[in-house]
Amino acid sequence: MPAITPLTSDYHVCPQLDPREVAAIAAAGYTTLICMRPDGEMFGQPAWALVEVEAKKHGLQTHFIPVRSGAVTPAQAAQLKQVLAQAPGKALAYCASGNRCALAYQMARQLPG
């Protein structure tokens, strides 16, 4: 399992997941998985569809918010905020390093509502 960084008690971030790691993510108590990495960003990166299939097998809610590295938009931050408002428990978001997931969360916190 990748190194996971908690930003709050219910929102954690990590680097790229491998589909084989999803069972451990579910076993660790996560209920929502968010991918913030566009497909094809790097050679050999697992496609979101493969990770999502595994996540659904383990009962996780899934969300795909592809963000270009270093370019989180207010609309993407708003989308993350909405996903987290509806998440039934702990959410794990991933990208290449976890940094853009953390940035998107910081931006989402600044949005009204």
Side-chain angles (χ1 to χ4, degrees), residues 11-49:
Y11 182 69
H12 301 179
V13 300
C14 72
Q16 176 70 54
L17 285 180
D18 184 283
R20 295 170 292 195
E21 297 170 315
V22 174
I25 297 299
Y30 292 95
T31 60
T32 302
L33 183 62
I34 305 160
C35 175
M36 299 192 83
R37 188 174 194 195
D39 280 337
E41 187 174 66
M42 184 176 196
F43 179 77
Q45 165 191 339
W48 165 241

Side-chain angles (χ1 to χ4, degrees), residues 2-91:
I4 294 175
T5 303
L7 298 187
T8 70
S9 60
D10 290 328
Y11 182 69
H12 301 179
V13 300
C14 72
Q16 176 70 54
L17 285 180
D18 184 283
R20 295 170 292 195
E21 297 170 315
V22 174
I25 297 299
Y30 292 95
T31 60
T32 302
L33 183 62
I34 305 160
C35 175
M36 299 192 83
R37 188 174 194 195
D39 280 337
E41 187 174 66
M42 184 176 196
F43 179 77
Q45 165 191 339
W48 165 241
L50 298 175
V51 177
E52 185 177 37
V53 165
E54 287 301 311
K56 288 184 181 279
K57 281 183 191 175
H58 295 283
L60 297 171
Q61 290 187 2
T62 59
H63 301 276
F64 187 51
I65 308 172
V67 174
R68 268 185 336 149
S69 182
V72 179
T73 67
Q76 291 163 326
Q79 189 178 358
L80 176 62
K81 184 173 185 161
Q82 181 179 15
V83 165
L84 294 178
Q86 298 172 359
K90 285 194 328 186

